Amino acid sequence: MLVFLDGMPMGRITSHVRHVVMRNDRFDNPDSGALDRSTQRLREARRVIVLTGAGVSAESDVPTFRGPGGLWRRYRSEELATPEAFARDPRLVWEWYAWRRDRIASVAPNAAHRAIAALDRRFPDFLLATQNVDGLHEVAGSRRMVELHGSLWRMRCLRCGAIKDDRRSPLPRLPPQCACGGVLRPDVVWFGEALPEEALKSAFDAAGAADLALVVGTSSLVYPAASIPRLARKAGAFVIEINTEPTPLTPTADVFLRGPATKWLPPLIEEK
Ligand code: OAD
């Protein structure tokens, strides 16, 4: 069943670029009390949801999708992350994923990933919903986590449906082949495809119950993930956004901490 929120069909992934007019100077520097208010709210919180996007891995040297450096060759992610692109040219799409796998294989989680893992250990009621497919949250120690857009380190056979972990880098042949002879695809969610139902339900349930939502390094343009903090806000959660740039979420966030995730997260969680 498709559920509708904010006019967007839920359970499917769509790129929804809104033309939000934002005066950037409004969000230039958080006021001096913003961090204190946030740490205080986090101290008092009982149920926490964290939503992350590519920005949380940017300081591990993983390129984001949008903004400077967001293009691969001349392609935008929306042109390659689709079943149609894969049907048309599986090798091209695999080259993009293989390039990302190779890049990520040689990087390490950063202080932002580690701070989020520390929150996982601190709160009995906690969920991390990530749009990232790089696996760095898990390496950093996050456990209660849903990967809304799948994982770069899994493959799925288009013929027999088998799903397997595969961490080889580089891959010996593109596109990779299953033992049954079928073509393997990355086990990630592409535009126009349904998100993993259980993962999405867990994220929505956690958002509806949360008293604090922390949103880190996402452009808040891709749904249904972008509706998670909005849902939390509607249910009464305090929303803290950390991003180097304002996003469509920023005007409705309770606090916007502008800057790199590694600058704000360690002091926010008050752990050395
Ligand atoms: P985007 O590339 O759209 O956005 C990255 C966000 O991170 C931007 O808002 C940046 O301003 C911010 N950012 C960059 N560096 C940062 C830093 N050091 N600290 C904090 N913030 C920083 O990535 P996502 O929002 O994750 O889907 O994109 C969502 C989905 O669109 C992805 O999962 C992917 C993509 O197409 C698929 O491939 C299906």
Side-chain angles (χ1 to χ4, degrees), residues 13 15 52-60 63-68 70 76-78 80-82 96-97 100 110 112 130-133 149 188-191 216-223 225 241-247 257 259-264:
I13 177 167
S15 180
T52 62
V56 81
S57 296
E59 291 162 89
S60 291
T64 59
F65 296 97
R66 296 171 184 81
R76 297 186 307 132
S77 64
E78 292 90 336
L80 293 169
T82 70
W96 182 46
Y97 281 97
R100 290 166 61 194
N110 62 50
T130 186
Q131 298 164 85
N132 297 348
V133 295
H149 295 173
V188 298
V189 179
W190 284 331
F191 288 94
V216 187
T218 175
S219 55
S220 289
L221 291 169
V222 175
Y223 284 76
E241 183 185 30
I242 298 178
N243 201 305
T244 47
E245 301 294 331
T247 73
L257 298 173
T262 56
K263 169 182 170 182
W264 291 114

Side-chain angles (χ1 to χ4, degrees), residues 2-227:
L2 293 180
V3 185
F4 288 83
L5 186 75
D6 287 340
M8 298 300 298
M10 310 307 300
R12 299 183 72 78
I13 177 167
T14 45
S15 180
H16 174 66
V17 181
R18 287 185 189 172
H19 297 282
V20 178
V21 179
M22 285 190 297
R23 281 183 40 232
N24 277 10
D25 57 334
R26 252 183 72 198
F27 303 112
D28 263 355
N29 285 307
D31 64 88
S32 54
L35 180 63
D36 291 346
R37 278 204 308 284
S38 303
T39 48
Q40 182 61 31
R41 285 297 190 133
L42 192 59
R43 242 180 261 139
E44 292 163 2
R46 298 162 69 99
R47 292 174 296 276
V48 173
I49 181 156
V50 179
L51 173 68
T52 62
V56 81
S57 296
E59 291 162 89
S60 291
D61 211 19
V62 179
T64 59
F65 296 97
R66 296 171 184 81
L71 288 180
W72 177 75
R73 298 188 191 162
R74 61 194 162 82
Y75 301 99
R76 297 186 307 132
S77 64
E78 292 90 336
E79 293 167 38
L80 293 169
T82 70
E84 294 77 21
F86 193 74
R88 207 166 38 238
D89 193 345
R91 192 183 162 87
L92 173 72
V93 173
W94 258 116
E95 279 174 16
W96 182 46
Y97 281 97
W99 173 78
R100 290 166 61 194
R101 285 166 61 106
D102 294 348
R103 181 115 179 204
I104 292 158
S106 63
V107 305
N110 62 50
H113 295 107
R114 288 193 293 277
I116 292 167
L119 292 180
D120 185 344
R121 292 189 292 273
R122 185 188 307 173
F123 290 98
D125 203 331
F126 176 90
L127 188 72
L128 163 62
T130 186
Q131 298 164 85
N132 297 348
V133 295
D134 57 28
L136 290 176
H137 281 301
E138 194 180 351
V139 178
S142 283
R143 293 294 171 262
R144 285 170 297 169
M145 172 178 74
V146 288
E147 291 178 315
L148 295 172
H149 295 173
S151 169
L152 267 183
W153 304 111
R154 280 195 314 264
M155 298 182 185
R156 176 152 46 91
C157 178
L158 289 179
R159 185 191 285 174
C160 71
I163 295 177
K164 57 173 201 160
D165 290 332
D166 187 327
R167 296 198 73 94
R168 285 175 301 167
S169 165
L171 286 166
R173 78 178 261 188
L174 297 179
Q177 249 190 3
C178 182
C180 80
V183 173
L184 289 162
R185 60 164 278 179
D187 192 27
V188 298
V189 179
W190 284 331
F191 288 94
E193 294 185 326
L195 273 77
E197 222 170 285
E198 256 183 51
L200 189 60
K201 183 178 179 321
S202 304
F204 282 159
D205 287 351
D211 44 33
L212 188 137
L214 178 59
V215 185
V216 187
T218 175
S219 55
S220 289
L221 291 169
V222 175
Y223 284 76
S227 56

